[in-house]
Amino acid sequence: LSGEVTTIAGNTSMGEISINGVGTQASFRAPMGIAINERGPHTLLYIFDYCCVRLMNVSSYAVTTFSGKCELQCNVTNVDGAAATACFHAAYTNPVTLHFDYLSNSLIYAAAYDSLVKRVDGDTGYVTTIAGVLASS
C-alpha cells in the first residue's frame, strides 16, 4: 500500500446543491454515509448526500441522484414516496448507519435524530419508513 489518496468522485467546491456528473465533475453537498451493492454487473455505491441518496457506478465513476431531492426545500420535511418526490430532512436525518440488504434489494438506514428506520428500494428509489414515527414539531 502506498498510502496515496485519490479522488474518484466529487470535488472541493462547496455548493448549495449536489450535481450529477462523472468523477470530479460531480459534486456532493455533504456526504454523510455510504453503502455498497456488489450484486449485478456493476458495483454500486449508495451515498447519503444531505437531502438525497446518490448512486455511483464504481466502473465508470458516474454519479446520479437516485432518490430524494438534493435541494434546500427538502431540508424542512421528511417525506416518504417516489424517488423524485421523497425528502430527507437533513437536519434530523443524519444517518447513523447505511446498509445494502441483498435479500430485499434495498438500502436501509437508521436516522440519528428523528428516530426512524427507512428503506430505499434498490430498483426504484421509493422511500418507506419501516420503523419509528416522525414527531411533529
Side-chain angles (χ1 to χ4, degrees):
L1 297 175
S2 69
E4 185 176 327
V5 176
T6 303
T7 301
I8 60 170
N11 54 59
T12 57
S13 66
M14 298 290 291
E16 291 296 317
I17 61 171
S18 300
I19 299 172
N20 294 334
V22 177
T24 57
Q25 298 302 309
S27 69
F28 297 93
R29 179 156 184 213
M32 300 177 197
I34 192 167
I36 189 166
N37 176 359
E38 295 179 290
R39 187 176 82 182
H42 304 286
T43 299
L44 303 173
L45 297 180
Y46 293 85
I47 303 161
F48 198 96
D49 187 21
Y50 193 69
C51 294
C52 61
V53 176
R54 312 291 297 290
L55 186 64
M56 186 181 98
N57 181 317
V58 174
S59 300
S60 66
Y61 303 130
V63 177
T64 58
T65 300
F66 179 67
S67 186
K69 298 177 184 177
C70 294
E71 50 193 53
L72 288 176
Q73 296 90 313
C74 252
N75 188 28
V76 297
T77 188
N78 200 328
V79 178
D80 287 357
T85 59
C87 284
F88 302 93
H89 189 235
Y92 298 107
T93 302
N94 298 353
V96 172
T97 188
L98 292 171
H99 170 75
F100 192 85
D101 178 43
Y102 292 101
L103 293 176
S104 66
N105 191 40
S106 300
L107 177 68
I108 308 293
Y109 75 90
Y113 301 110
D114 61 8
S115 302
L116 298 175
V117 177
K118 298 255 187 180
R119 174 185 180 272
V120 182
D121 184 276
D123 292 321
T124 66
Y126 195 92
V127 179
T128 307
T129 299
I130 58 174
V133 176
L134 185 64
S136 58
S137 47

